[in-house]
Amino acid sequence: MWFLGLLIGLVLGGAVRGGEGALVGAALGAAAGLIVSLLKRGTVSSDLEARLRALETAVQELRRQLAGAPADMAVAASSPETTAAPPASTREGPPPPEAARGEPAPPEPAPFPAPAAVAPAAAGASTVETPNSFHRFWRWLTGGNALVRVGVVVLFFGVAFLLKYAYEHTHVPIEVRLAAVALGASGMLAIGWRLRVRNPVYALAMQGGGVGVLYLTVFGAFRLFGLLPGEAAFVLLIAIAALSALLAVLQNAQSLAVLGVSGGFLAPVLASTGGGSHVMLFGYYAVLNIGILGIALYKAWRLLNVLGFAFTFGIGALWGARFYRDDLFASTEPFLALFFLMYVAIAVIFALRQAPRLRHYVDATLVFGTPLIGFGMQARLVNPFEYAAAWSALALSGLYLGLAGALYRRHRETLRMLVEAFTALGVIFVTLAVPLALDGRWTSAAWALEGAAAYWVGVRQARRAPRVFGLLLQFAAGVAFLGDIRSSVSETPVFNSFYLGTVFIALAGLFSNRTIERHAQRVDYTAMQAAIAVFAWGLAWWVFGGLHEIHVHVPRPERNSAALLFLAGTCAAFSLAFGRGWWIARFPSLALPPVMALMLAARYIEWPHLHPLAGYGLAAWPAAFALHLLILRRDDTVRIEQPGREVPELRYLPVAHAAGIWLLAVAGAWETAWQIDRAVEGQRVWLLAGWALAPVALLGAAASRVARRFWPMLRHAHAYLWPGAVPLAAFLWLWSLYANWSSDGDPAPLPYLPLLNPLDIAQLLVFGVLAAWWRSTAQDGIENAKRIPPAWPWSLLGAAVFVWLNGVLLRTLHHWGGVPYDFEAILRSDLAQTALSIFWTLLALAAMLFATRRGRRWLWIVGAALMAVVVVKLFVVDLAKVGGVERIVSFIAVGVLMLVIGYVAPVPPRHGTEER
């Protein structure tokens, strides 16, 4: 791991800061790789110690069994280290039958622990039995004669820096210096070859260093000093690559091949002066990759393949980012194609050599990394050419699908995983070709449908990979659509790319959910949760597309009603799907009441002067309420079986029924008030009275016993009588208070008559329907109503009636006595104060008389309290502010009435009957 970090740091540091940056980057990369390796894999010594302890424990247990010693003595004799991993016989568990009867149990033979089973328990996870390539390289570098191996690496870099230093500071002919370096490298190769049998570790290190120095020497002689012509330099480089490959294969030394290839790739980086031809650089790398390809024909050395891939495309990407121009396309494209084909071939060869071992025969780094990085570079190169990227993607798709077909025909059993990988890549690139050739909208449509098809295949075959690919492709379709959302929209409604794109994305998501719901037994819990997410995804795109189409093609005042029609139809469609067995479709059907409330609020905010039935609303709102009832009717009868359980009685139905009556009350009150106001040309009292008519009618219908003979009240009387009716009753009660204090009741163009004007008639209807509703809750046995003390609702109703009667009096004084209908004016008016005193006394007399006759002590107390208020008012208000005849009339009338009250309405007995 540290060596890979060193290489990466070296390349990146050299590209950024030259020689100094290369040194710093190499040091930092090596340190980071070493830390990661130690943290992730631990050390070999700790693993060996764990194995040794396990073996010691097993030997002691075997000795105890052979000697026939008791188990407790063997355990006591063992050290803490040996008891760290107890044998299976000492684990906690139920005692054997002999122990339960008090008899000594015979010793059980302890199995001899297998090393592969002990190592994970002692060291976390086995890193010895199944090491990866980097871990093997770490063991090679740190095991044996580590000084020699590290010395070779250091020597390689030292020679590179020596060449630069000698070039800049010494006057020895460069030919002599290069010849000396080449002679030294040849000596290293000779020594390594002679010692290959006696000391193979040392020999391989010497050979690797010699190969790297030869690479560096030839490239320096060609590029830095111009001592070799291009043809001769390439012949020598080919010879060195062939030599290193031959030595590695002959000695089965992957380390030699890695060192040789690393030195070859790093040579132009270390010896570069910032100039030179990229053709020569990539031609040189082509020679190195030919060597890697030749080795791959004989050895399945994954580390060598990955190292060559990383160097080739990494250095190529750095060069492209700094130096590539469009006019270099002709000299760069062939090398990119060549490198791409090389590593595709290396991946196939590796799989062919590794497949008989039945393990890790697909190198994911090369199989997926090569097309990913290669196509990214290709897209940059062909950027100036129209549709070139699309053709490139299509060509890659044909290549991978062709390879998949060829491998399937010849190696269908041994290379099945590679065939599937190539097939997936072919599908991915043909999918990618669509957006590169078409706009984002048609791209999203194609991707969405393709993703739905892949998801369907994954569900039918119970395979996770196609399902994941299908979901990712649908998500990519949405991203592609949003990326092209700013493009113009066709003037043709519905049949345009924008709306059809959203419809295809939506249908793909909904189809995927329906598919997996119908095959729920074939997938796990996670897949079902993902199906819920994809359903929400499809529903969101369906709503977005419809609302956008309405926004573009419908006149602004009609958008609200058109949106209501669209959303109500959507809810009804999902309700039908719910009835046909699509379980999750019931949730969108429940959204109609909230949608209607949102549309009603939006209409009032945007167009307050319009009424609900204006324009398209004449069709939209009746249709929405009709569909709401249709959905509720269907939900009354539908029973769908969920996976694993049956849906119980749908608990949302009472809320949905109650929400329907609330919405109908609001929309009806708004529409009725608007129509009445228009008929009387803006007279305010008529408008105010109109707001109460629709709630009164609905509350009266809920309280009617005739209405309860029919659906929906036949099955949901409680929903309409309590959660549905309580908000209506509260509204009417508050409306009554507001109406009395805010309006003088002028019924123009009609004359004012007490009790026979629109406002008073409406209030009488309100009081009557409130009383009838409350009595019906008692008759129907509504449990919520029984929990309320009996006097509370009648007290609230009596308070509203009291306020209304005072309003009737003051409005009569206003119209017939000329008293302004204003709070301050009423306080200053002697006539109004006298009338109020006498009127309150009469009301108290009536209440107390009624209470005495019915035995309602609480009502008599209310009348007495009102009488007390009158007395206080006489001495605080009337005595101070009322003068003349009015004051006399007030005191005399109140006094006489109090005498009458005392005679005809004495206080009822304490235990009189209290009717509700």
Side-chain angles (χ1 to χ4, degrees):
M1 184 66 73
W2 73 270
F3 187 71
L4 181 62
L6 182 145
L7 295 179
I8 296 174
L10 183 68
V11 173
L12 296 180
V16 176
R17 296 289 296 179
E20 297 179 357
L23 286 175
V24 175
L28 293 177
L34 182 59
I35 292 173
V36 172
S37 178
L38 291 176
L39 290 178
K40 185 176 181 182
R41 308 226 175 248
T43 62
V44 177
S45 59
S46 63
D47 194 11
L48 294 177
E49 291 175 2
R51 288 172 170 267
L52 182 59
R53 289 196 300 267
L55 291 174
E56 290 175 353
T57 302
V59 170
Q60 290 187 12
E61 180 66 20
L62 184 59
R63 288 177 177 174
R64 183 190 63 79
Q65 293 181 16
L66 294 176
D72 55 352
M73 295 178 60
V75 174
S78 62
S79 62
E81 291 80 0
T82 61
T83 59
S89 60
T90 61
R91 295 173 184 170
E92 294 183 2
E98 293 80 7
R101 294 192 299 266
E103 301 177 2
E108 297 181 2
F112 197 86
V118 174
S126 177
T127 60
V128 176
E129 293 300 324
T130 59
N132 58 24
S133 300
F134 293 112
H135 187 58
R136 286 197 298 267
F137 180 76
W138 166 256
R139 292 170 57 191
W140 170 86
L141 187 63
T142 58
N145 197 341
L147 291 177
V148 175
R149 292 168 179 157
V150 176
V152 170
V153 176
V154 174
L155 176 62
F156 173 75
F157 289 103
V159 171
F161 297 135
L162 175 62
L163 288 175
K164 272 199 166 185
Y165 181 82
Y167 175 72
E168 297 171 356
H169 296 86
T170 64
H171 301 286
V172 177
I174 191 62
E175 295 86 352
V176 177
R177 284 177 274 171
L178 290 177
V181 172
L183 184 61
S186 301
M188 294 176 66
L189 284 173
I191 294 173
W193 178 256
R194 289 183 63 86
L195 298 177
R196 68 186 185 279
V197 177
R198 189 190 320 169
N199 193 344
V201 174
Y202 185 87
L204 291 177
M206 293 295 288
Q207 293 177 55
V211 169
V213 172
L214 283 177
Y215 274 127
L216 183 62
T217 303
V218 173
F219 190 82
F222 164 68
R223 174 55 54 202
L224 290 178
F225 313 116
L227 300 178
L228 289 175
E231 296 80 3
F234 268 95
V235 169
L236 291 175
L237 290 173
I238 291 173
I240 296 171
L243 177 62
S244 63
L246 180 62
L247 291 175
V249 173
L250 290 176
Q251 301 174 80
N252 194 25
Q254 181 179 358
S255 58
L256 178 59
V258 169
L259 285 175
V261 168
S262 300
F265 276 107
L266 286 174
V269 176
L270 295 175
S272 175
T273 59
S277 170
H278 66 283
V279 175
M280 301 304 297
L281 174 66
F282 293 143
Y284 168 69
Y285 278 177
V287 173
L288 294 181
N289 283 306
I290 290 174
I292 295 174
L293 179 60
I295 294 175
L297 293 173
Y298 299 96
K299 299 294 182 181
W301 289 342
R302 181 178 181 275
L303 178 59
L304 181 66
N305 300 336
V306 174
L307 200 62
F309 169 78
F311 274 122
T312 300
F313 287 96
I315 296 176
L318 290 176
W319 176 87
R322 297 183 62 181
F323 303 111
Y324 179 75
R325 304 185 307 273
D326 292 340
D327 58 331
L328 301 178
F329 173 78
S331 59
T332 306
E333 174 71 12
F335 287 107
L336 177 59
L338 177 62
F339 294 149
F340 176 83
L341 293 175
M342 280 184 176
Y343 281 97
V344 171
I346 289 173
V348 175
I349 293 171
F350 178 82
L352 288 172
R353 294 193 60 84
Q354 194 77 358
R357 304 182 185 181
L358 302 178
R359 54 187 290 274
H360 309 305
Y361 65 86
V362 173
D363 188 347
T365 303
L366 295 185
V367 170
F368 296 104
T370 301
L372 178 65
I373 298 177
F375 185 76
M377 293 181 173
Q378 175 70 4
R380 171 65 182 90
L381 295 183
V382 301
N383 184 56
F385 309 106
E386 187 177 10
Y387 300 125
W391 286 112
S392 300
L394 201 59
L396 288 180
S397 175
L399 172 66
Y400 278 112
L401 292 178
L403 283 174
L407 294 175
Y408 181 77
R409 287 191 297 271
R410 297 185 179 184
H411 307 280
R412 68 178 65 184
E413 299 298 332
T414 57
L415 296 182
R416 184 177 185 86
M417 186 182 300
L418 185 64
V419 170
E420 292 180 353
F422 281 173
T423 303
L425 287 171
V427 173
I428 290 173
F429 278 108
V430 76
T431 301
L432 188 60
V434 176
L436 296 174
L438 304 174
D439 64 16
R441 297 168 185 175
W442 292 117
T443 296
S444 64
W447 282 4
L449 297 178
E450 185 178 350
Y455 193 83
W456 178 80
V457 171
V459 172
R460 293 296 300 269
Q461 297 180 356
R463 297 172 60 196
R464 178 176 297 179
R467 296 201 309 267
V468 174
F469 174 73
L471 294 181
L472 292 177
L473 195 57
Q474 292 183 48
F475 176 75
V479 174
F481 190 94
L482 295 177
D484 198 40
I485 198 171
R486 294 181 179 272
S487 300
S488 60
V489 179
S490 172
E491 295 182 358
T492 304
V494 179
F495 298 101
N496 57 77
S497 61
F498 191 100
Y499 181 64
L500 292 179
T502 60
V503 168
F504 288 141
I505 297 175
L507 293 180
L510 298 176
F511 173 80
S512 299
N513 175 271
R514 181 56 176 156
T515 299
I516 202 169
E517 188 173 297
R518 296 178 65 179
H519 302 85
Q521 70 278 2
R522 300 186 181 182
V523 296
D524 54 12
Y525 175 78
T526 303
M528 293 302 297
Q529 297 302 111
I532 296 175
V534 78
F535 177 84
W537 166 268
L539 179 61
W541 277 100
W542 172 264
V543 173
F544 166 71
L547 294 181
H548 182 273
E549 195 73 1
I550 290 171
H551 179 77
V552 172
H553 298 289
V554 176
R556 185 178 177 184
E558 307 297 345
R559 290 173 186 169
N560 182 276
S561 299
L564 178 63
L565 271 176
F566 168 73
L567 295 174
T570 298
C571 294
F574 278 106
S575 177
L576 291 174
F578 172 50
R580 293 181 178 273
W582 193 1
W583 175 80
I584 199 174
R586 69 174 181 158
F587 294 103
S589 67
L590 301 180
L592 185 53
V595 165
M596 294 169 66
L598 184 63
M599 292 295 102
L600 200 62
R603 187 175 187 85
Y604 183 79
I605 293 173
E606 189 175 7
W607 306 99
H609 60 282
L610 293 179
H611 54 108
L613 299 184
Y616 294 173
L618 185 61
W621 284 102
F625 281 109
L627 291 175
H628 173 65
L629 290 177
L630 178 64
I631 293 172
L632 294 179
R633 181 71 173 180
R634 182 177 300 278
D635 288 341
D636 266 353
T637 56
V638 171
R639 294 293 183 273
I640 302 297
E641 289 188 359
Q642 272 184 310
R645 66 185 181 90
E646 183 180 352
V647 176
E649 181 67 25
L650 301 177
R651 300 178 180 179
Y652 62 85
L653 286 178
V655 178
H657 282 274
I661 197 172
W662 302 338
L663 291 168
L664 186 58
V666 175
W670 184 359
E671 183 67 28
T672 303
W674 190 91
Q675 295 292 348
I676 292 177
D677 185 59
R678 182 186 180 190
V680 297
E681 299 179 354
Q683 299 299 326
R684 186 171 180 273
V685 68
W686 294 91
L687 174 64
L688 184 62
W691 278 99
L693 296 182
V696 162
L698 291 173
L699 190 61
S704 172
R705 305 197 66 85
V706 176
R708 272 171 272 177
R709 300 175 185 174
F710 306 97
W711 187 91
M713 288 197 63
L714 180 64
R715 293 193 59 179
H716 303 281
H718 177 273
Y720 287 95
L721 275 175
W722 191 252
V726 167
L728 300 186
F731 167 78
L732 291 175
W733 187 82
L734 293 173
W735 173 88
S736 176
L737 298 181
Y738 172 78
N740 280 287
W741 292 109
S742 63
S743 175
D744 61 1
D746 185 6
L750 300 177
Y752 178 83
L753 293 175
L755 304 180
L756 297 177
N757 59 80
L759 184 59
D760 290 340
I761 294 174
Q763 299 214 55
L764 286 171
L765 292 175
V766 167
F767 299 143
V769 78
L770 286 175
W773 164 70
W774 186 251
R775 288 188 178 276
S776 65
T777 60
Q779 295 171 358
D780 283 56
I782 303 297
E783 294 296 329
N784 304 80
K786 292 180 179 180
R787 300 190 185 102
I788 299 176
W792 288 14
W794 296 112
S795 299
L796 290 174
L797 182 60
V801 171
F802 175 76
V803 171
W804 168 67
L805 291 174
N806 281 274
V808 171
L809 172 64
L810 295 177
R811 286 191 291 271
T812 302
L813 294 177
H814 167 67
H815 289 284
W816 290 1
V819 178
Y821 200 76
D822 179 78
F823 184 74
E824 294 184 358
I826 291 173
L827 284 179
R828 294 192 300 268
S829 172
D830 294 346
L831 177 61
Q833 293 301 322
T834 300
L836 285 174
S837 298
I838 298 174
F839 187 64
W840 289 357
T841 305
L842 289 174
L843 291 178
L845 172 61
M848 297 169 74
L849 184 61
F850 182 82
T852 300
R853 298 291 176 86
R854 295 295 183 92
R856 297 182 179 178
R857 186 180 179 87
W858 65 269
L859 182 59
W860 190 94
I861 295 175
V862 170
L866 179 60
M867 196 68 253
V869 171
V870 172
V871 173
V872 173
K873 178 180 177 297
L874 285 176
F875 289 95
V876 174
V877 178
D878 295 5
L879 187 63
K881 296 183 178 181
V882 180
V885 178
E886 290 83 358
R887 181 192 302 171
I888 298 172
V889 172
S890 297
F891 276 82
I892 293 177
V894 171
V896 171
L897 290 173
M898 291 180 67
L899 293 176
V900 173
I901 291 172
Y903 178 76
V904 300
V907 59
R910 183 175 297 274
H911 300 290
T913 44
E914 295 285 343
E915 297 180 4
R916 190 173 177 180

